[in-house]
Each structure stands twice: as C-alpha cells, then as structure tokens.
Amino acid sequence: MNTKFLNVSQGLCFTLLAVMAFLSSCTAELDSPGLLSGMEGGQEVRLELKVPGASGNKSTSRAVDSNVESTVNDLYVLAFKGETDEVFEYYKKAEKSTAKDKEEWKVKLPTPGYKQNFVLIANAEGADDYGLKTGIESLKPGTKLSEVKKQLQALLTKDEQKSGFNAASAASHTPFTMYGQTGLTTIEKEEVNAALAVSLYRITARVQVYLGAGGAGLANFKPESVRLYNFSDRGQVIPAELAGAVTAPSVPEGAQLCRGEARYTMANNKLENSIYLFETAQPAEGAEDNHLSRPCLVIGGKYDGAESPTYYRVDLWYKNTAGQTEEIIYRDVLRNSSYNVTVTAVTGPGYGTEDEAFRAKRADIQADVQAWDETDLGDIAFDGKNFLGIGTMEFTVGKFGEGGMIQTVTSSPGLTWTATLLNENGEGTPDWIRFDNGEGTTATGGNAGGTSQKKENVSFTVQPKPEGVTGNRTALMRFKAGNLQVDAKVVQDNSEQVFIRLVSDETVDILDEDGQTNQIRVEYGPANTELVWVLKQDEELGIGLQESYADGTETGGTLKNEKTIDVPTNMLPQTDKAFVTGKATMMLLARGQNGDAKMVKVQLQQSKLGIELVRKIVYAYGVDETVYVRSNFDWTATFDKPTGQLAELTNGFTQEQFEGVATDESDNDNAKVVFSMNFPGFKGRMLPATIKFRSKDTGEEYELGLNMVDVFEYDKIYYEVSKGYIRTFKEVYEGEYPDGLSSKEGWYLPTKEQALKLTGLTQTATWTNDKSLSDDSPGKTEKFDYWSLKYGTNLDHTYEFKANCASNGQWISYGKVGHFRVYTTEGKCGPDKIPAVRWRATGGVKGSVTFAYQAHDQKHCTWCTAYEWPSMFGWRYVPDTQWGSVTITWGQTYTTTMNVTTSMGVSYSGNCKHFLRDNYPKGNSAIQGELKWTGEASQNTYYLRKIGTAKN
C-alpha cells in the first residue's frame, strides 16, 4: 500500500537558504514584546518552511498544504546569540499571507551584524491550558538556550492525560507543535528578497496499527480496539539534538507517565493517524516489573469466532541479531517518527481484560514493529515489514530546464532499490531528463545488510525545451524495491521561470602565481532577471584575491543571458607551513521580478603545493615503521636501496613504492609509507635518509629527509636514548630536565641496572635515577665549631659528602664550602692573628668541583657601643667578594691551608685597653661555621624513552 504524508517539495535545489547562509541575507521584524533595546527595526524576510510528511507539494511551492499533521497555523521566531550555549535575545511572531496564490510566512528581524541562531516554533497557540504560547512570551532576554529548552514544554490537558493526545478530527485536535532552526546566520542590512529556509519537525510521534500486511486482515482474528499505555504528559519543544532527526528522547523535567484510558477503534483492519504521543524513554533494564512502565499497546478483538473479545499486549521492540545471541531491544519513542505495528499472526486466545494483558509479559500474538523518521518523507510504500519513501511527489520545471535537482529516498534496513526514468504512460525512456550519475536513466541505492534506515539523495537534470516544443511534458521517476513502488512526477511546462546554470566548472583551481585571471561563466534568464554575484573568502585562509575585484550585479535584457566574471588573483601570502590551500566560494543568484530566485555556487581553491612527514624519526628495533604523510596533492613515493651503515638499520620500503592521497590528517592510512627495520643493537647512531615523492598531478618531485635511529634494549623493551647532556648532581637530584626533554614526553633517567648496561655499550658513565645518599654521608649541611684554639694551632677537618654511584660504580665526593665564618671569642684579649684552618677533600670527584672559603671578622665588644666597631678603630673588613676557590679533579686529593696574613688590629683606646692590638701574643680564639653542599659535581647524562616491546 501507499501511505501519503505531507511534505514540502525538495525541488528548490537552489533555495535562498543558501543565499542566507552565504550572502548573510537578512530581515527586519514585526512587533515583538521580547525585543532587546537597540534591536528595533529591520527588514522583511520570507520564511521558506519545509514540513515533515507534506505530500502533494510542487517544487515551486513555498509553504504547506492543509494536511492537519503538517499545517502551520502560527509561527514564532526565537533569536539566540552565541555558538555554544546560546543566549536568548528576543522572539518575533511571523505573519501569513496568500499572495500570488501561495501561502507564505514573513517576519521582520533586527540586523545586529553578528551571528545568530534562529529557532522556529510552529503551532504554539491552542487550548488555553496548553501553555506553550505563554511560555514563549515569558522568556527573558539573556536566558541560555539550555534553560529555554527546559522552560518550553507542551502539556497534555487533564482530559488528554486520561484519553490521550487529542486527534479526533481536523476541526478538533491538539496543536501539532513543530520546531526547527537555521544554524548560525549573520543578518545584514538592506538585503532584497531575503529568505530563511527552515525544516520543521513535529515534537510528537505517531503509532499506526495494521492487522495483516498492509491491513489485509487475519482469518482467525477480528480486531476491535487498541489501547495505549504509558504515554508522557508533556513534551520538550526544543530537543537536546538540534540537527533534525534525533537519536534519543528529550524528556522534560517533571514529565509523568500516564496509564490513562486512551482507546481507539480499528476499522478495516487499520488504525491510522489517530495515536500520537510525546517522546517517551524506555525504563532502565533490571527491575522485575519494569514492563509496567514501558509504552505499549493492548489490542482487543475476537479470536477464532469467539463471542467475547480477548486482549493482547504488543511492545515497541525489535530483535537485534547482529551479535552472537539474539537480543530484544525496546524502542524509545522519538519525535517526528512513525511506529508502524503490523500484527502478522494470532496463535491463541489472549487475556480476559485489558489490564490483565497489560500486566502480562507475553501473549499469543506476533507483531512486527517498523519505525521510520519522517524527515524528508513525502510518499511512502509500506508492506507491513519494509518501507520505501521519497521526499517529493511532483517537481515542476520551466522551459529553460534545471540542473542538480534533488530527490530524497529513504529505505528500511536491508532494502535495496532501483530508480527508473519513464515516460508519463510508464513506458519508454524520456530523452529530456537524466540522472546525474553517469548511468543517465537508472539509479540504485539502499542499505543491503544494514541495521538502520538509510536516506540518500538522487540528483537529476531537466534539459531546456527545444524550439517548437510548446506543450507540457511529463516524466515518471519510479522507485522500486521488491513489491514496493513509489512514483514521482517531473513536469516541464512553458513557464519562464528564473534559471541560472554554470557554463564553467563548479570548481576553479587557481594557479599560485601573481597576475592570474580566473573566469566564471554563467547563463541566466529570462529577461529582466537580476544576476548578483558575491565572493566569500574562507575564514581560515582565503585565495590571493586582488584588490581590484568587486562583487557585482546586472540585469539581463534577453530570454537567455551570458555573463563572464573575472576573479584576479596573486600568490598566496608567505607562510612557514609546508603546504596551504586558500579557499573561497562565489555565490551567483538569479532573481526574477516576481520574487523567484535560483542560486548556484562555485568553489575556488588556490594551493601552495607541499608535502611533509608527520614524524621525522624511525627506530630500528626489528618491526615495520609507519610514517604518515600530509600534503595537498596525490603522490607516489620511492626509497633508494640502503647501503653502508644505513643498511644495518633498514631494508627500505616494505614494497617497491607507495601511493598517497592529499590530506591534512596525521593518521590517514591512504597517505603513508612503511619501512622494514632491522635490530642491529645500540651504537648511538642517528643516520639521515631521504624519501622521494612525485606529484601525480604535476610530476613535480620532492625530497623529504628523516632520521633512522638505533635503539637500546633492556629486558625485552626498546628505548630511544637521548644525546649525552652534562648535568650536575643537583640538577639530577632536583629533577631538572635539559632543554628539549621532559617527563611529559616520556623521558626519564635510567635505572642503575639499565645505566650499567648502557655504559658497557657507550664506554661513558651516566647519572642514574638512584638519588639516595651514602649511609655514611653527613647530609647536605654540616655545622662545626672549635673552641679554645691557641695561637699557631692548625686545624684539620675532613668533610666527605657521598651520593650513590653513577653507572661506573664509583663513589663520588663533591661539594662547596659556603658561609664559612672565622671570628675571635669574647674576652679581654685575643691573638694577633686568626689561626690557620686547613680543609681536605678525599676520594676525588668526577668532573670538577669548586671549594670556596673566606675569612672575615666580627666585633664582640658589647659595652663599647659608643664607638662604630670595627671600622672606626681599624678593624680589617674582608668583603664577600674575596672568596678563594680551588678546582679538584678526578682522583686527586687536595689539602689547602687558609690564613689571614694581614694583622687585624685596633687602635689603643683608654676605655677598652683589652682589645686586639698588632702582635698581641696572648689569649685564645674559636672557629665556628658550616659547610653546605651545592651539588656541583657534573658528568655525562643519558635519558631513555620507551618506544616498543620485543615480539614474543
């Protein structure tokens, strides 16, 4: 059977939606109480509505017919600003007109000059307690779209919560609310004949019931009633998914399931266009009685001639046979979808009451449930199991013909279809219409072996009428799949409709050189048709457009006009990227005096050709190494047979040559080369290699280099080894990495065991990740003091700071003497010189270590505060810059003695006779101070990075 649904024609192949998206055409507004300050004014815009399931509409129609499900009675436009969680700015109510025998919707929108997203809501007005209109009017500017989604809900009335969604008749029904959106659009000022093309989607789902295939009936069962259980009391108007067809229900907050008493009468073994419900989610699996919360049907009728009715439960489910075991999948109820239940067999009596059947988990009834999304469906053939649908039932084309027209075909899972062009009588092949697929008179499609419905576009072209052909001519576009068949008409009349067609190519490749002139040629008509052309540069990188270029317009004076548009270009700007492609799009709009318009677009692209390797290092550890390639041209690649040391690392390509495609992806398997690598062991080699590329288009050759590196193996794991870095123990101890390396990139110091093996291969020591100190090391800081030192006493003090070894197994001593103070003790007298202090470092160091020392004085005459000590009385001050230093090399023991050779004395004072004087031979002194480690011992350091594991 054929089931008809309303759908706006898809024949508007070049609708002004494209003009809006591309030329940023715009509008003004009608009166709107939600308008923000500064948003007043604007220009009128036409709303081109595409409504789901609208049949019988010709391709020139700009509105919908009177089918109840798809009629638009009122229309609100909501404006949002932003690209993520948009912010609501205002709403406008559109007005309907019937000018030119066409039903049109128009609205005035402000022109703020930035991108906005427009959401359209149709049929918000209805019963007083429906509430959606009030919800729209109460929206506050600044509210985020996510909150608007929560606020705008469609509610069942109290009666409907019991009896179900009211679809009693065309004169008495709940509004079939629809929504749609435009996507981000910039509204510009003073755009003539501006339009927004928007697809609308119903927020409800529909359930249809057939007894037998297509309602043919069953011999042993006479249906009487259908009852709907567990339907939601409200629907969220704007869904979570705004791209058209949804994949999951958007159930609003506060939604309640209604068990109700929604009963419907079956007539002639069918129940159509009666059961409607809002989106409903299936309950979570696991609960013992969750079947009592599932949306389902209970079908009542008389079985096998019985006098009393019997009842059967039917769930909305299907069997998933894709896995190893068969699985029952319960369907969520999704908006804008039709659920078609076909009862294929009744094998026994059901339950005595509806409630008993509802509570049961199984019944003696077999039913097949088909679900399809009604987006772009106009005419549908359905046999109870499979369906085949088309988007447009009739196209009307003027005598100038039209190219690139689109028919949308939707088929059920596993179905394949064939399309044939026929004369009006269903016989023979017309010579004036062709599919744009190379075959010409036939097209094929479908989803053989698929598990979901498939939507496809079929493109076709209608040729201009020859001279002398005056009557209308009609062709059939017949789609067949098994016993399913749907037809679409294509009628070419004598109307002089606006037309535009490209004479030059749809894509223009621009040479990347200065002083180029690129031409775009079009034909358009009829007479007095305005041609407008606008070039829009790509936001990321445009073409090298010369300043002399300007968009333009002209009006044709004949039936068919020709226009050549010059696009002058220079080279693309310089960049450090290996390759770039600048893009632009030219939109060409033909606009007639009656407001009709058609548009074509031309893609312009200008490329700086180039090619690069995603990685420039490959490793020799016995496995194939893949190198992905990025470029803006198709290529072939070769690699010369390796020789010498390079042959120890690689055997070259795994095949004679590779071919690749243009891509900017870093992991495209159609753009790669593969090396066969050996494992020669680690010798610290990094050898250059060259890959030769040739462009398939131009033949130009490119050579790209990369390095091949041998690797270090330890415990069946392969590591990349860094170059050697001279690092101090302090840098190692504190985890400081050299420039170019980091732990985030996977680099780390080797363990002691790895380092010992690595040292055996390189004959070079390295620090390890063992940062612990020797058990007999005193620590990072050692304080000391020596008292009662007599004149002339020498002090020996040895300070050994030990850290665990590097990879050569040696102990290392290192350090620096810092803040070492020598001063006299308090008392009535003191020596004439500070005693000598001797420091000795034993054990030696690897590399070089600096020991520094200093002596300086300090006053201790606390009762002589009237004088400025020490400078006032001749104390010698040793500044910090007079540190001495000595370098100790590996294996050397060094002993040094520090003396203050200059006498430190004071002038004689009657008030302080006991103070120091030159050559005063009496008294004693003390030495106090501290030694601080600075970790300056340095040596070669290697870092490792894991790259792979040995094959078993």
Side-chain angles (χ1 to χ4, degrees):
M1 80 171 180
N2 282 357
T3 305
K4 306 294 184 183
F5 299 100
L6 290 177
N7 191 5
V8 151
S9 164
Q10 293 198 23
L12 291 171
C13 303
F14 304 118
T15 67
L16 289 182
L17 169 62
V19 179
M20 191 64 198
F22 208 85
L23 302 182
S24 300
S25 61
C26 56
T27 75
E29 59 136 83
L30 298 171
D31 189 30
S32 171
L35 196 62
L36 288 172
S37 176
M39 289 286 186
E40 298 81 4
Q43 295 175 332
E44 189 173 72
V45 63
R46 186 175 67 256
L47 300 174
E48 296 182 350
L49 306 180
K50 184 176 185 304
V51 183
S55 66
N57 292 288
K58 301 183 185 300
S59 63
T60 55
S61 175
R62 285 198 165 82
V64 297
D65 69 10
S66 59
N67 185 290
V68 173
E69 289 183 350
S70 302
T71 297
V72 177
N73 296 306
D74 54 79
L75 189 62
Y76 289 81
V77 180
L78 282 63
F80 294 84
K81 178 184 178 181
E83 298 188 15
T84 52
D85 194 1
E86 299 99 323
V87 174
F88 172 72
E89 292 190 304
Y90 62 86
Y91 77 86
K92 291 291 169 187
K93 184 178 179 181
E95 288 188 345
K96 180 168 62 174
S97 68
T98 56
K100 304 172 186 177
D101 299 323
K102 299 174 183 178
E103 188 177 87
E104 291 187 344
W105 288 90
K106 296 182 179 181
V107 69
K108 287 187 177 181
L109 299 176
T111 56
Y114 50 75
K115 290 183 178 181
Q116 292 173 294
N117 185 18
F118 296 97
V119 174
L120 274 65
I121 298 177
N123 301 333
E125 300 174 0
D128 292 340
D129 52 357
Y130 191 70
L132 179 55
K133 176 178 178 290
T134 302
I136 294 174
E137 293 174 345
S138 64
L139 289 175
K140 295 181 179 180
T143 305
K144 291 186 176 180
L145 176 58
S146 56
E147 290 300 317
V148 173
K149 289 179 181 180
K150 296 178 183 179
Q151 293 178 32
L152 296 186
Q153 299 181 9
L155 306 176
L156 295 179
T157 65
K158 292 182 178 179
D159 289 341
E160 287 176 318
Q161 292 177 23
K162 181 178 180 181
S163 60
F165 187 97
N166 177 24
S169 67
S172 173
H173 64 86
T174 295
F176 287 93
T177 302
M178 293 176 273
Y179 77 97
Q181 73 158 357
T182 63
L184 288 172
T185 304
T186 301
I187 305 299
E188 303 289 353
K189 295 181 179 180
E190 300 180 358
E191 180 63 30
V192 180
N193 199 33
L196 283 174
V198 183
S199 293
L200 296 179
Y201 306 95
R202 279 187 293 273
I203 70 170
T204 54
R206 179 181 56 211
V207 178
Q208 316 231 79
V209 183
Y210 304 94
L211 192 70
L218 297 175
N220 65 344
F221 187 75
K222 303 300 179 184
E224 294 182 349
S225 65
V226 177
R227 180 174 173 181
L228 174 67
Y229 282 84
N230 293 328
F231 51 92
S232 180
D233 69 341
R234 67 194 66 196
Q236 182 171 304
V237 175
I238 306 175
E241 305 169 80
L242 285 173
V246 299
T247 60
S250 299
V251 179
E253 294 180 0
Q256 300 292 324
L257 287 179
C258 301
R259 190 158 296 176
E261 295 182 9
R263 293 184 181 87
Y264 308 87
T265 301
M266 287 192 71
N268 299 320
N269 297 313
K270 299 178 183 179
L271 179 62
E272 296 178 313
N273 302 93
S274 297
I275 303 177
Y276 297 88
L277 67 161
F278 295 127
E279 288 185 300
T280 308
Q282 292 286 351
E285 296 293 338
E288 183 177 351
D289 58 353
N290 60 5
H291 72 291
L292 299 180
S293 299
R294 298 190 191 283
C296 66
L297 304 175
V298 170
I299 298 176
K302 295 178 180 179
Y303 172 72
D304 202 20
E307 294 184 359
S308 299
T310 186
Y311 299 93
Y312 307 81
R313 172 173 173 147
V314 175
D315 281 281
L316 304 179
W317 58 272
Y318 68 96
K319 291 181 180 180
N320 180 15
T321 59
Q324 296 181 351
T325 59
E326 190 173 77
E327 182 183 12
I328 299 297
I329 304 296
Y330 290 92
R331 300 179 188 272
D332 291 327
V333 177
L334 303 180
R335 64 183 61 209
N336 203 55
S337 297
S338 182
Y339 296 87
N340 303 282
V341 179
T342 301
V343 177
T344 58
V346 180
T347 58
Y351 293 87
T353 66
E354 290 174 331
D355 189 65
E356 288 178 324
F358 166 68
R359 296 183 180 278
K361 292 186 177 181
R362 58 178 298 175
D364 292 325
I365 191 171
Q366 297 176 13
D368 181 74
V369 181
Q370 286 288 320
W372 64 65
D373 167 56
E374 291 191 321
T375 305
D376 298 327
L377 290 181
D379 189 10
I380 299 173
F382 177 56
D383 63 6
K385 181 177 181 181
N386 296 308
F387 67 88
L388 178 66
I390 57 175
T392 304
M393 297 174 62
E394 184 173 324
F395 297 87
T396 299
V397 185
K399 66 180 182 180
F400 302 120
E402 189 168 331
M405 303 183 74
I406 298 296
Q407 174 69 280
T408 300
V409 187
T410 305
S411 55
S412 57
L415 201 66
T416 57
W417 53 263
T418 300
T420 306
L421 293 174
L422 303 169
N423 290 316
E424 186 176 11
N425 61 3
E427 299 178 357
T429 303
D431 61 0
W432 50 274
I433 180 173
R434 288 289 182 269
F435 289 123
D436 300 331
N437 60 357
E439 296 293 331
T441 59
T442 61
T444 58
N447 194 17
T451 59
S452 60
Q453 72 180 42
K454 185 175 183 180
K455 182 168 66 176
E456 300 164 273
N457 288 336
V458 179
S459 176
F460 64 98
T461 295
V462 176
Q463 300 296 326
K465 273 189 176 183
E467 292 291 336
V469 178
T470 58
N472 291 356
R473 51 185 183 180
T474 301
L476 293 181
M477 193 180 295
R478 177 163 291 169
F479 295 84
K480 295 192 69 174
N483 63 338
L484 300 177
Q485 176 180 311
V486 286
D487 289 348
K489 279 186 178 182
V490 181
V491 179
Q492 187 174 25
D493 59 23
N494 288 320
S495 62
E496 294 183 354
Q497 296 179 3
V498 170
F499 74 92
I500 183 171
R501 63 176 62 91
L502 284 172
V503 178
S504 56
D505 293 336
E506 294 181 357
T507 301
V508 177
D509 292 316
I510 300 173
L511 192 63
D512 190 34
E513 294 181 359
D514 289 340
Q516 298 298 305
T517 299
N518 310 277
Q519 293 186 332
I520 297 172
R521 292 177 294 151
V522 295
E523 294 177 346
Y524 69 97
N528 299 316
T529 295
E530 182 186 21
L531 175 68
V532 180
W533 62 93
V534 174
L535 189 142
K536 182 177 177 62
Q537 293 275 44
D538 184 79
E539 292 184 359
E540 184 173 343
L541 179 64
I543 61 175
L545 192 65
Q546 293 184 16
E547 293 183 358
S548 60
Y549 169 81
D551 298 332
T553 180
E554 72 171 27
T555 300
T558 62
L559 194 63
K560 184 173 72 173
N561 307 275
E562 296 184 2
K563 176 64 178 177
T564 298
I565 302 169
D566 290 339
V567 181
T569 57
N570 290 326
M571 289 183 64
L572 291 171
Q574 294 297 316
T575 175
D576 56 358
K577 295 182 179 180
F579 62 90
V580 292
T581 298
K583 297 179 181 179
T585 304
M586 177 170 285
M587 308 300 295
L588 299 107
L589 173 71
R591 184 163 47 198
Q593 289 181 315
N594 63 353
D596 288 341
K598 296 288 178 64
M599 187 184 68
V600 294
K601 63 181 179 179
V602 178
Q603 300 293 337
L604 300 96
Q605 56 186 31
Q606 181 178 3
S607 297
K608 170 195 169 186
L609 297 180
I611 189 168
E612 64 181 353
L613 305 178
V614 174
R615 54 185 291 207
K616 296 184 179 180
I617 293 179
V618 295
Y619 301 102
Y621 66 107
V623 299
D624 292 347
E625 283 278 80
T626 298
V627 179
Y628 289 100
V629 182
R630 289 189 291 252
S631 69
N632 56 358
F633 58 83
D634 295 346
W635 49 263
T636 60
T638 58
F639 187 79
D640 292 341
K641 184 178 180 179
T643 59
Q645 289 195 62
L646 190 62
E648 296 181 31
L649 303 187
T650 182
N651 301 313
F653 279 170
T654 56
Q655 58 192 49
E656 184 175 350
Q657 72 173 25
F658 284 91
E659 295 185 355
V661 299
T663 180
D664 58 1
E665 299 174 347
S666 298
D667 56 355
N668 190 328
D669 285 331
N670 294 316
K672 68 181 181 181
V673 298
V674 183
F675 287 95
S676 171
M677 304 302 293
N678 303 317
F679 176 54
F682 179 72
K683 295 182 181 179
R685 293 175 292 186
M686 178 179 288
L687 305 179
T690 301
I691 306 174
K692 297 178 180 178
F693 293 90
R694 179 189 293 270
S695 168
K696 287 186 176 182
D697 297 328
T698 66
E700 188 172 354
E701 295 184 348
Y702 302 80
E703 291 188 355
L704 298 183
L706 77 167
N707 291 316
M708 295 192 170
V709 179
D710 57 20
V711 300
F712 171 66
E713 182 272 333
Y714 183 84
D715 198 21
K716 297 183 178 181
I717 299 177
Y718 296 105
Y719 301 89
E720 179 182 1
V721 181
S722 74
K723 71 177 184 179
Y725 294 87
I726 299 300
R727 308 294 288 167
T728 67
F729 188 78
K730 178 182 179 181
E731 292 169 329
V732 170
Y733 190 90
E734 296 180 356
E736 297 179 10
Y737 278 78
D739 291 341
L741 301 184
S742 72
S743 59
K744 292 181 179 179
E745 296 173 343
W747 292 103
Y748 67 92
L749 286 166
T751 65
K752 183 176 180 180
E753 292 76 13
Q754 290 172 330
L756 290 173
K757 181 175 181 179
L758 188 59
T759 297
L761 296 173
T762 64
Q763 304 301 310
T764 304
T766 178
W767 288 118
T768 75
N769 65 356
D770 186 353
K771 303 174 184 178
S772 60
L773 303 178
S774 171
D775 291 340
D776 59 351
S777 175
K780 283 190 174 183
T781 301
E782 179 183 310
K783 293 185 178 180
F784 63 89
D785 52 68
Y786 293 93
W787 294 86
S788 301
L789 297 177
K790 300 296 185 180
Y791 172 74
T793 301
N794 288 329
L795 174 65
D796 289 337
H797 183 82
T798 299
Y799 173 52
E800 288 185 314
F801 184 85
K802 296 181 179 180
N804 279 326
C805 61
S807 58
N808 54 15
Q810 304 274 345
W811 288 104
I812 295 177
S813 295
Y814 47 88
K816 180 177 181 179
V817 178
H819 304 296
F820 177 52
R821 299 178 179 85
V822 181
Y823 54 87
T824 60
T825 60
E826 294 183 18
K828 295 181 179 182
C829 54
D832 62 340
K833 291 184 178 180
I834 297 175
V837 179
R838 185 171 62 191
W839 293 97
R840 182 172 64 202
T842 61
V845 294
K846 177 65 178 177
S848 63
V849 172
T850 298
F851 282 79
Y853 50 87
Q854 181 187 29
H856 63 93
D857 47 9
Q858 178 140 345
K859 64 179 183 178
H860 286 282
C861 185
T862 57
W863 53 87
C864 297
T865 55
Y867 302 94
E868 292 294 330
W869 298 90
S871 59
M872 185 174 184
F873 294 101
W875 285 91
R876 177 180 177 275
Y877 179 69
V878 184
D880 289 341
T881 56
Q882 293 183 7
W883 287 89
S885 65
V886 66
T887 298
I888 303 176
T889 59
W890 176 257
Q892 175 186 2
T893 299
Y894 186 86
T895 301
T896 183
T897 301
M898 179 177 64
N899 291 290
V900 178
T901 57
T902 303
S903 298
M904 297 178 62
V906 296
S907 300
Y908 176 77
S909 170
N911 295 326
C912 257
K913 297 180 180 179
H914 56 274
F915 264 72
L916 293 176
R917 292 182 303 171
D918 289 342
N919 301 319
Y920 194 80
K922 298 180 181 180
N924 54 54
S925 61
I927 303 296
Q928 289 183 316
E930 61 183 354
L931 298 176
K932 290 187 176 180
W933 166 70
T934 58
E936 292 184 353
S938 59
Q939 70 172 2
N940 178 75
T941 307
Y942 292 120
Y943 292 82
L944 302 181
R945 178 165 63 179
K946 179 181 175 181
I947 59 171
T949 304
K951 294 181 178 179
N952 294 328

